[in-house]
Amino acid sequence: MSFDVRPGTIADAAAALDIWRAAASFWIAAGRPLWTVAQFTLGRIETAAQAGQLVIGLEAGEIVACMLVEDKDQLMWRESEPGAALYLHKLAAKCTGSRNWAPRLVGWAALEAGRRGIDRLRLDCTDRPELIRI
């Protein structure tokens, strides 16, 4: 099985939209909501792709995971200068297929941070042990 992580394009936005909406629905149904389904729109994801913020994970050529990566986070990390860290948001993967997409995505982000001369990653997540372990 081949795995790859790469920046997403506008052409990848619809697949990412499906993943995020499915993840939001899954956690809502489980009684542990993370996001609303409505917050994910194709236009917002296309804008993120154009800005170089969409990252996708591929398994055997199929998009199965995604996240957003930004060089600033004015909402949660207002005190940080742009470029002080890479900020990871909305990690999600399809329930089907292999596991371990969170470490693959975070690993890609660590390499990308190093390439940019950034020595810190910040994962935006709720206070849940399974997310904090990442």
Side-chain angles (χ1 to χ4, degrees):
M1 184 77 52
S2 64
F3 303 101
D4 189 28
V5 178
R6 66 166 172 79
T9 66
I10 291 174
D12 301 323
L17 175 64
D18 289 344
I19 292 167
W20 275 315
R21 285 185 172 172
S25 295
F26 174 86
W27 289 111
I28 290 167
R32 299 177 65 202
L34 287 171
W35 313 305
T36 66
V37 174
Q39 78 185 78
F40 298 102
T41 66
L42 187 58
R44 289 178 76 184
I45 298 168
E46 289 174 340
T47 299
Q50 286 177 317
Q53 298 170 344
L54 177 63
V55 175
I56 60 165
L58 298 108
E59 183 173 319
E62 177 189 356
I63 298 171
V64 297
C66 53
M67 71 177 170
L68 296 175
V69 175
E70 301 173 319
D71 63 0
K72 63 182 180 284
D73 182 341
Q74 296 300 312
L75 181 62
M76 300 303 294
W77 301 92
R78 281 178 236 140
E79 74 284 355
S80 295
E81 293 293 320
L86 281 186
Y87 301 90
L88 313 182
H89 301 278
K90 296 185 176 43
L91 276 76
K94 287 185 174 183
C95 292
T96 60
S98 69
R99 301 288 181 230
N100 298 319
W101 275 105
R104 287 183 189 119
L105 293 171
V106 173
W108 180 92
L111 292 172
E112 179 64 14
R115 189 184 70 73
R116 296 184 192 187
I118 297 171
D119 65 357
R120 182 173 295 131
L121 296 177
R122 289 187 168 154
L123 174 60
D124 179 19
C125 67
T126 61
D127 187 16
R128 294 183 182 177
E130 62 271 22
L131 295 174
I132 293 170
R133 278 193 302 272
I134 296 170

